[in-house]
């Protein structure tokens, strides 16, 4: 159970870190691309303001020929593309080859056969003596920036599985350290339960021995006393409770080693059916074996037997005369499903989740009268968990219940 908790914690931790990673990466991407846009935009505006005074108007048409000549002589050609358009937006001059030959602002894109041009563009109206004579446009390619952004996205995606695995492993290790005190506390409780069970055995043995002696004394003196029978019954129940506690502590202890071997569930169900048949008949309950799979499960025979016995004894205990009980098994994928169905009193929906709790009984009076302490299903659940199986209940009040246990096949 603790291991399951560690795995769960590690998975939660991994999900949390991956979500944070995605949020962080998205925020980084948005800020990074916004800052690239801003820096390009200011670069282009600065360049445009720098070039504007060099524009000459010849016959009402703007030209940058002198500027281009000077720039070439000074070997200071900029990486941007500079274009001049007339007032009807027709291209007049172009310096640089990355640009797109149309007037536009912001992000522009143009496909040319196999290649693609992506630019950021800034333009402004050229006015001389209050007369519009054309447009100055400056563009810079954004392909490199786009590649940098794409790289950032790829890096984020590629990093995810590595990050996830790393965090899961770290989460598993750290949750193990964090849960150590809880594990120790659980171990202590288990030991306490086992010790309490063992300690109860001594006084019970004394009561039983004394009761036997007392019975003989009464018999010798020809005294008939019903109290001895009551004490004997109570002592038997205490003895059962003690052995249930010891058994539960044994099954729940992760460090106790028990033999696991292939177990024939068919044989097991047949044996349990034989054990219960006489008792069922005496109570006028039809107890039968349904279809059973021949396949074996990997398990501990003693534990599995106790599990089926507890389920069958519950079915018998909570079914009235005239009812029927059926045990059967079938293969479900890689598991074997063992089912115990009865036509008994059923379990109310609000109690279904609690029936596996220790000492929980739906109808305390009925359970106590029948001799139940409320540990039977706790033992069943512990056995199922020690076999890496699963248990579910479906029940309807007044109609009956079905307990289904699934255990991996051998
Ligand atoms: N087949 C069933 N039909 C109806 N109610 C059931 C059935 N099995 C269990 N329950 C309910 O679940 C409770 C818990 O069952 P559990 O086997 O743990 O305890 P118990 O049978 O009362 O006592 P114990 O098994 O320790 O002798 C029972 O008291 C009963 O109310
Ligand atoms: Mg029971």
């Amino acid at each position: 159970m603790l291991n399951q908790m560690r795995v769960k914690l590690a998975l939660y931790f991994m999900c949390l870190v991956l979500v944070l990673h995605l949020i962080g990466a998205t925020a980084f991407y948005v800020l990074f691309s916004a800052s690239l846009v801003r820096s390009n935009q200011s670069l282009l505006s600065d360049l445009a303001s720098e070039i504007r005074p060099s524009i000459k108007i010849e016959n009402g048409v703007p030209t940058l020929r002198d500027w281009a000549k000077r720039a070439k002589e000074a070997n200071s050609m900029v990486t941007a593309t500079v274009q001049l358009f007339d007032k009807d937006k027709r291209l007049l001059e172009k310096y640089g080859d990355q640009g797109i030959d149309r007037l536009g602002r912001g992000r522009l894109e143009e496909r040319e056969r196999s290649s693609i041009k992506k630019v950021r563009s800034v333009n402004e109206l050229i006015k001389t003596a209050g007369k519009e004579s054309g447009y100055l446009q400056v563009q810079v390619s954004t392909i490199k920036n786009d590649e940098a952004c794409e790289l950032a996205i790829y890096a984020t995606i590629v990093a995810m599985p590595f990050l996830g695995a790393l965090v899961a492993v770290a989460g598993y290790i750290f949750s193990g350290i964090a849960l150590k005190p809880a594990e120790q506390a659980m171990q202590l409780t288990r030991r306490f339960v086992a010790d309490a069970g063992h300690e109860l055995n001594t006084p019970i043995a004394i009561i039983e021995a004394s009761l036997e002696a007392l019975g003989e004394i009464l018999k010798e003196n020809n005294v008939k006393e019903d109290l001895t029978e009551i004490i004997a019954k109570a002592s038997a129940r205490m003895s059962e409770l003690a052995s249930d506690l010891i058994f539960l502590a044994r099954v729940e202890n992760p460090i106790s080693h028990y033999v696991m071997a292939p177990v024939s569930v068919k044989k097991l169900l047949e044996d349990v059916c034989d054990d219960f048949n006489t008792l069922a008949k005496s109570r006028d309950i039809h107890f039968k074996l349904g279809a059973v799979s021949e396949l074996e499960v990997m398990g501990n025979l003693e534990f599995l037997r106790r599990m089926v016995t507890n389920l069958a004894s519950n079915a018998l205990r909570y079914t009235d005369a005239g009812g029927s009980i059926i045990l059967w098994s079938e293969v479900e994928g890689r598991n074997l499903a063992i089912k115990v169905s009865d036509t008994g009193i059923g379990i109310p929906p609000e109690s279904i989740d609690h029936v596996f709790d220790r000492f929980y009984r739906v109808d305390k009076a009925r359970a106590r009268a029948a001799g139940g302490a409320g540990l039977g299903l706790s033992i069943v659940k512990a056995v199922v968990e020690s076999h890496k199986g699963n248990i579910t209940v479906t029940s309807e009040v007044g109609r009956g219940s079905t307990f289904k246990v699934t255990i991996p096949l051998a």
Side-chain angles (χ1 to χ4, degrees), residues 220-328:
E220 273 167 22
N221 293 299
N222 265 340
V223 181
K224 215 176 141 22
E225 179 55 78
D226 288 344
L227 278 176
T228 52
E229 208 174 301
I230 295 171
I231 298 171
K233 264 193 190 158
S235 152
R237 264 169 70 176
M238 266 168 74
S239 163
E240 214 173 283
L241 179 64
S243 84
D244 277 357
L245 286 176
I246 295 168
F247 193 88
L248 190 60
R250 235 180 94 206
V251 184
E252 283 189 336
N253 194 349
I255 55 170
S256 64
H257 299 287
Y258 28 80
V259 184
M260 297 289 263
V263 173
S264 160
V265 174
K266 182 172 188 260
K267 170 90 175 47
L268 177 67
L269 295 184
E270 280 168 358
D271 287 352
V272 174
C273 245
D274 287 345
D275 293 347
F276 279 89
N277 242 323
T278 323
L279 185 61
K281 257 190 203 130
S282 73
R283 294 221 204 133
D284 190 23
I285 290 170
H286 191 51
F287 198 108
K288 66 172 181 179
L289 190 65
V292 282
S293 163
E294 301 274 345
L295 294 183
E296 294 178 327
V297 295
M298 189 55 92
N300 178 284
L301 181 60
E302 185 198 355
F303 288 1
L304 290 177
R305 199 185 170 95
R306 183 66 172 264
M307 177 189 87
V308 180
T309 304
N310 281 8
L311 290 175
S313 101
N314 276 355
L316 204 61
R317 189 178 277 174
Y318 303 107
T319 299
D320 294 322
S324 58
I325 294 163
I326 178 164
L327 310 188
W328 84 97

Side-chain angles (χ1 to χ4, degrees), residues 1 9 66 127 167 172 197-198 227 233 297 313 320 349 360 374:
M1 199 165 83
L9 278 174
D66 285 353
K127 267 186 173 177
V167 170
Y172 187 75
H198 285 297
L227 278 176
K233 264 193 190 158
V297 295
S313 101
D320 294 322
Y360 181 87

Side-chain angles (χ1 to χ4, degrees), residues 244 314-315 317-318 342 345-347 355 360-363 367 371-378 401 403:
D244 277 357
N314 276 355
R317 189 178 277 174
Y318 303 107
D342 62 59
I345 59 170
I347 303 165
V355 289
Y360 181 87
R361 286 152 298 180
V362 177
D363 180 349
L375 281 178
L377 287 180
S378 309
S401 319
F403 285 78

Side-chain angles (χ1 to χ4, degrees), residues 385-406:
E385 277 172 1
S386 71
H387 283 70
K388 304 206 168 14
N390 190 35
I391 181 161
T392 52
V393 197
T394 46
S395 185
E396 210 179 313
V397 175
R399 290 188 148 255
S401 319
T402 297
F403 285 78
K404 178 175 122 180
V405 172
T406 48

